[in-house]
Amino acid sequence: MVSDTINDSRHFKGVDLMTGMSIRSILGVPIRLKKEAIGVLQVVDTNPGRFDPNHVSLLEALAGSAAISIENAHLYQQAQKEMNNRKRAEELFQQNKIIEAIINSLPALVIIIKENGRLEKWNKQLENTTGFSSLETGQMSFFDFVIPEDRESAKNRLKDIFAKGAGDFETHMAFKGGKYVPYYINCSRTQLDNETYIVAVGMDISERIRQQ
């Protein structure tokens, strides 16, 4: 509390110039939120000696109410942010479900391959075509679906595609039960969660080969 700014060196005269007032009395109390001062509630007057301890008590009560209001505003902002994040997460989830449904409806094989050849994701067509279950597929690498005599060539092609970013090749896919089917594999490199993968799309070319 400042009873008279003329006799108090703490008063900055620049405030008078900015407000256009000749401030003589100042009363200020901290606004505390969880024992931490987050601001100051201050009243001023152009007359000296305007404030007394009763004014201090009143202003402290107002500062307490202001702190509660500020805390509620922060909580509201946090709740709104959380709701927006949940809404965005739900939207992304729905979008992913739609994308997954589209990919699973494709007649082609769609496989996301790690650099070590392990499968990150695949569409239902891979399981339906090859006869391997989801559990079995999760334990296999891409090269497990390639016939032994084509595996070295397939490894070299994928290594080259990881380096260059795109490419294609033909190979024979090994199905459950010992069946071999010729496939055309088109590949492109992509980044997902800071990891590098190959997205491979495989198409059965048996009919084309028969026609040739």
Side-chain angles (χ1 to χ4, degrees):
M1 181 168 59
V2 176
S3 297
D4 192 346
T5 58
I6 292 178
N7 301 318
D8 197 313
S9 60
R10 294 174 296 174
H11 179 58
F12 176 54
K13 297 299 181 181
V15 175
D16 295 356
L17 296 175
M18 288 185 289
T19 61
M21 298 173 56
S22 179
I23 299 173
R24 295 291 300 275
S25 298
I26 302 173
L27 176 61
V29 297
I31 300 174
R32 298 185 182 278
L33 187 58
K34 297 179 180 178
K35 298 184 179 181
E36 180 182 353
I38 61 171
V40 174
L41 184 61
Q42 182 173 278
V43 292
V44 299
D45 199 285
T46 55
N47 297 313
R50 283 286 289 120
F51 305 116
D52 58 35
N54 290 328
H55 293 114
V56 174
S57 298
L58 176 61
L59 199 60
E60 286 177 341
L62 292 174
S65 297
I68 294 172
S69 297
I70 292 171
E71 182 177 26
N72 288 338
H74 287 167
L75 292 174
Y76 176 78
Q77 290 178 341
Q78 291 174 359
Q80 285 293 107
K81 184 177 180 180
E82 184 174 344
M83 288 176 61
N84 290 337
N85 288 339
R86 288 182 179 178
K87 182 178 179 181
R88 180 57 180 160
E90 178 63 23
E91 289 174 350
L92 289 174
F93 177 72
Q94 294 299 331
Q95 290 174 6
N96 288 337
K97 285 181 65 176
I98 293 172
I99 293 172
E100 184 177 352
I102 293 172
I103 292 176
N104 282 330
S105 70
L106 296 174
L109 309 181
V110 180
I111 312 168
I112 299 178
I113 308 169
K114 301 178 181 180
E115 287 197 71
N116 61 4
R118 303 292 295 185
L119 276 57
E120 178 69 15
K121 291 183 180 297
W122 56 91
N123 67 345
K124 288 292 184 181
Q125 188 65 20
L126 179 65
E127 299 172 21
N128 296 339
T129 302
T130 64
F132 292 101
S133 68
S134 176
L135 182 61
E136 290 173 318
T137 301
Q139 303 299 317
M140 300 168 68
S141 78
F142 173 75
F143 307 111
D144 291 327
F145 292 97
V146 177
I147 63 173
E149 51 266 41
D150 286 356
R151 285 177 188 169
E152 192 62 32
S153 174
K155 288 179 181 179
N156 291 334
R157 286 298 294 133
L158 279 185
K159 183 177 180 181
D160 187 58
I161 292 166
F162 268 108
K164 294 182 178 179
D168 55 17
F169 60 96
E170 293 183 8
T171 188
H172 284 77
M173 300 287 287
F175 292 3
K176 199 168 189 179
K179 182 181 178 181
Y180 295 162
V181 179
Y183 265 77
Y184 167 75
I185 311 292
N186 184 274
C187 303
S188 59
R189 186 181 62 203
T190 189
Q191 290 283 130
L192 297 172
D193 298 327
N194 297 320
E195 294 287 342
T196 303
Y197 299 94
I198 289 294
V199 178
V201 178
M203 290 167 281
D204 186 339
I205 56 174
S206 301
E207 185 61 30
R208 190 195 75 185
I209 291 177
R210 279 196 295 267
Q211 291 178 357
Q212 290 175 347

